[in-house]
Amino acid sequence: MALPGCQDKCGNMSIPYPFGTGKGCFREPFNVTCNETGAYLASTEVRLLEISLTLGEVRVQNPHIDWQCNYTNGKNSSSGLNPLTLDSFHKVSDTKNKMTSIGCATLAMVMGRTKSKKQLEYPTANTCFSFCIDASSVDDVTECSGLGCCQAPVSGNVSAFITVSLPVPDLYNTTIQSFSPCSYSFVSEKDSFKFDRSYVNSTSFASTHTDGVPLVLDWVVGNGSCSEATKMGSQYACQAMNSECIDVSNGPGYRCNCSQGYEGNPYLQGGCQGTYIYVTESTCTLLYFSFIVYGMQYSVDSSRHSPHFIEMTDINECVPPNQSLYPCKGNCMNTEGSYNCLCPSGFRSDDPKSIPCVRADPNKTLKIILGISASIIFLMVCIFALRAEYQKKKLAKEKERFFHQNGGQILYHQIMSKQVDTLKIFTQEDLKKATNDFDESREVGKGGSWHCLQGHS
C-alpha cells in the first residue's frame, strides 16, 4: 500500500510506504529508484528484491564477492577491496545472513563497523577457515562443512562491512594451488546459498554471479526508541489507528506493525484494517457459516447479502459462552479484537489469565521497610563492634610499644635475675591515703607533666 497517487509497484515488486518512488512518495531515506532493470535502494544503490513491512526486512542483491586467484605461473589477480556501506536506517541482518568462504587452505574474514549504545563507533570481525587437498577431500554436500567451504556468523548492528579471503602461507602449497587457485568470500542470505564442490576448483565463480548474491537487511523507520518516538507528534511514524510501535533488537531504532487482528500498512492513516474476505458465487448453495479469528467473528448469510461477503463483528470474550474459550481469573475487559485480564485493586497474580488473583499483603511494604531498617541497624552494630575490637587491639599494641620504648624489657630481666627488689604495685586508693588525698603541701618536686609527693604508709 503506497501513498495515494504514488506508484505502488516497480515491475512485479510491490513498494509499500514508507518506501516509494518519486518526490513526496517516500519517507526519508526510503527512496526507491525504478528503471527497466528493476528497483534500487537509492541510498546504497543496491537492487531491491523484496520489501516486508511486517518483518521489517528488505531482501537486496549484494554485488560484492571478494575473490583472489594465485596461479602457478605467477600471475595473480584479485577483486580488490569492495565495502558495502548502508545508511543508518538499514543494518545487515545477523540472524538471516552468513559469511561464506570457498577455497582450500583459505582464511576468510568479514569486518564490519558498528556503534555502541553510547554511539561509540568500533570495528567487528568474524572469521572462518576452509581446507582441502584435492577434489576427493571435498564432501559432495550442499552445506559448508569446513572442507572446501566454511561459514561464519555476522555481527549485529552492522551498517558497513567488507569481506577478505587469503591463502594461509604455511598450508597453501603448489599442489593445492594447482587444484584450487582461487578463493571467494561474500555475505549472503544463509538459506539462499547451496554449496557445490565444483566451486572449489572454479576460476569463474565470481563471473557467473555477476549480479551478486541475495542479502537480508533489517530496517527501522526511526533511530530512536518507541518511548522517544511516541513523543514526536506528527513525526511519529506509526500513523494508523490499531497500530503499535516495536523496538528492534538489531541496532537502535523502532518500526511499526498493525495490532493483532488487523493487517495493512501501519505507516499510513487508516492503513490497519480488520480482515475482510470476499466470497464468490459457487455451484453449491451457501446459506450461512461463521468462524472466529483473533477475537473477531466472521460470518456469511447468503439470505441477506448478494454477492456474499463476510461481516466482521467483535467477540466479547468476557461474557458467556465465550468465557470458557478465553480464560481470565481476574477482571475481564473486552477490547476490539482481543481482551484484557487484570486483577482487582488489592490483589495480584503473575498471569491473571491462568493463575488466580490472590490478596496482596497490605503490610508488605511496611515489612520490607522494617526488614531493611533492621538490617541497617544490625550492620551498624557489627561495624561498631569491629571498631571497638580494633581500638582494643590498637591500645594493646601501643602499651607494648611504650613498654619496650621505656626500658620495660630491661626492668623485667633485672627482676627475673634478682638484680632489683621485687616491685610493689600501689593502687590509686593506696596513693591517696599515703599523700593525704594528694595534698600539695607534700610536694617535693615537679616537672612539665609530673608531680612528686611525699607519702607515708
Side-chain angles (χ1 to χ4, degrees):
M1 186 185 298
L3 280 175
C6 294
Q7 181 178 343
D8 63 349
K9 281 194 173 183
C10 180
N12 294 325
M13 194 189 76
S14 297
I15 308 175
Y17 187 81
F19 295 84
T21 61
K23 186 177 180 180
C25 290
F26 61 90
R27 182 184 176 101
E28 289 290 352
F30 302 106
N31 184 17
V32 175
T33 57
C34 182
N35 55 42
E36 61 277 4
T37 62
Y40 294 83
L41 195 59
S43 61
T44 56
E45 298 183 349
V46 293
R47 184 177 178 181
L48 284 167
L49 302 177
E50 184 182 358
I51 300 172
S52 172
L53 295 185
T54 305
L55 299 178
E57 297 174 350
V58 290
R59 292 180 73 244
V60 301
Q61 201 76 7
N62 175 18
H64 301 310
I65 296 179
D66 175 78
W67 58 271
Q68 179 171 327
C69 295
N70 302 287
Y71 299 101
T72 53
N73 61 8
K75 293 183 178 181
N76 301 328
S77 59
S78 68
S79 60
L81 299 178
N82 296 302
L84 179 63
T85 303
L86 308 171
D87 60 65
S88 61
F89 289 78
H90 292 84
K91 306 289 183 183
V92 180
S93 174
D94 57 335
T95 59
K96 296 192 175 181
N97 298 304
K98 279 189 176 182
M99 180 195 70
T100 300
S101 175
I102 301 171
C104 293
T106 298
L107 179 67
M109 177 184 297
V110 54
M111 294 174 287
R113 186 179 71 233
T114 185
K115 286 184 178 181
S116 67
K117 292 182 179 180
K118 295 183 178 180
Q119 298 302 303
L120 175 65
E121 195 171 271
Y122 64 96
T124 65
N126 298 82
T127 63
C128 74
F129 176 74
S130 61
F131 182 77
C132 54
I133 301 173
D134 51 31
S136 63
S137 65
V138 181
D139 295 331
D140 189 13
V141 294
T142 58
E143 297 181 351
C144 292
S145 62
L147 293 174
C149 175
C150 68
Q151 290 184 319
V154 180
S155 299
N157 195 21
V158 168
S159 56
F161 69 88
I162 189 171
T163 56
V164 179
S165 58
L166 298 170
V168 179
D170 293 341
L171 299 175
Y172 191 72
N173 53 40
T174 55
T175 302
I176 296 177
Q177 187 177 10
S178 60
F179 160 66
S180 178
C182 298
S183 60
Y184 309 91
S185 63
F186 50 88
V187 175
S188 68
E189 185 180 13
K190 62 182 180 181
D191 295 331
S192 68
F193 176 74
K194 304 299 180 184
F195 174 66
D196 189 294
R197 63 179 180 179
S198 64
Y199 294 158
V200 175
N201 58 357
S202 172
T203 58
S204 58
F205 177 84
S207 60
T208 57
H209 292 77
T210 52
D211 290 337
V213 290
L215 180 72
V216 180
L217 305 179
D218 294 328
W219 58 272
V220 295
V221 73
N223 285 322
S225 64
C226 284
S227 60
E228 296 169 338
T230 52
K231 303 174 183 177
M232 295 174 62
S234 61
Q235 295 300 312
Y236 179 47
C238 306
Q239 291 291 306
M241 291 287 290
N242 304 312
S243 66
E244 57 189 10
C245 184
I246 299 173
D247 286 308
V248 302
S249 57
N250 188 16
Y254 76 97
R255 57 183 178 85
C256 311
N257 266 354
C258 289
S259 302
Q260 187 180 34
Y262 296 84
E263 64 179 23
N265 191 328
Y267 303 99
L268 296 176
Q269 292 184 4
C272 291
Q273 300 293 328
T275 305
Y276 291 86
I277 304 175
Y278 185 78
V279 181
T280 59
E281 295 289 349
S282 63
T283 57
C284 63
T285 301
L286 181 65
L287 296 178
Y288 180 83
F289 76 92
S290 68
F291 58 94
I292 296 174
V293 178
Y294 291 136
M296 305 295 289
Q297 178 171 310
Y298 302 83
S299 59
V300 167
D301 187 348
S302 60
S303 65
R304 296 171 53 201
H305 305 292
S306 181
H308 309 318
F309 68 92
I310 292 181
E311 292 183 317
M312 182 181 69
T313 56
D314 178 48
I315 292 294
N316 189 341
E317 294 88 350
C318 301
V319 297
N322 301 319
Q323 286 173 315
S324 60
L325 299 175
Y326 305 96
C328 179
K329 304 296 184 179
N331 291 338
C332 183
M333 292 181 291
N334 182 55
T335 62
E336 188 174 0
S338 186
Y339 73 105
N340 293 327
C341 183
L342 302 173
C343 289
S345 178
F347 290 78
R348 60 173 300 277
S349 172
D350 292 334
D351 182 11
K353 289 186 177 182
S354 59
I355 303 175
C357 297
V358 296
R359 184 176 296 278
D361 187 352
N363 297 321
K364 185 176 181 179
T365 303
L366 178 61
K367 290 179 180 178
I368 293 175
I369 295 174
L370 290 176
I372 294 174
S373 300
S375 299
I376 294 174
I377 293 172
F378 177 75
L379 181 62
M380 293 178 65
V381 170
C382 290
I383 291 174
F384 282 119
L386 290 173
R387 181 175 176 81
E389 183 65 22
Y390 169 76
Q391 293 289 354
K392 182 179 178 181
K393 290 183 177 180
K394 182 179 179 182
L395 180 60
K397 289 184 178 180
E398 286 290 317
K399 288 182 177 180
E400 184 177 359
R401 184 171 66 85
F402 284 124
F403 177 77
H404 290 287
Q405 181 178 315
N406 295 297
Q409 195 68 31
I410 298 174
L411 181 60
Y412 175 76
H413 284 297
Q414 289 179 346
I415 294 173
M416 295 301 295
S417 60
K418 306 298 183 179
Q419 294 181 15
V420 297
D421 294 335
T422 302
L423 298 177
K424 180 180 180 181
I425 299 176
F426 294 93
T427 65
Q428 185 176 8
E429 291 298 324
D430 292 335
L431 294 177
K432 286 178 67 176
K433 183 177 179 181
T435 60
N436 195 22
D437 196 16
F438 304 109
D439 187 356
E440 292 184 1
S441 63
R442 297 198 176 196
E443 185 178 288
V444 294
K446 65 179 180 178
S449 60
W450 58 270
H451 292 264
C452 182
L453 303 176
Q454 183 179 22
H456 299 281
S457 57

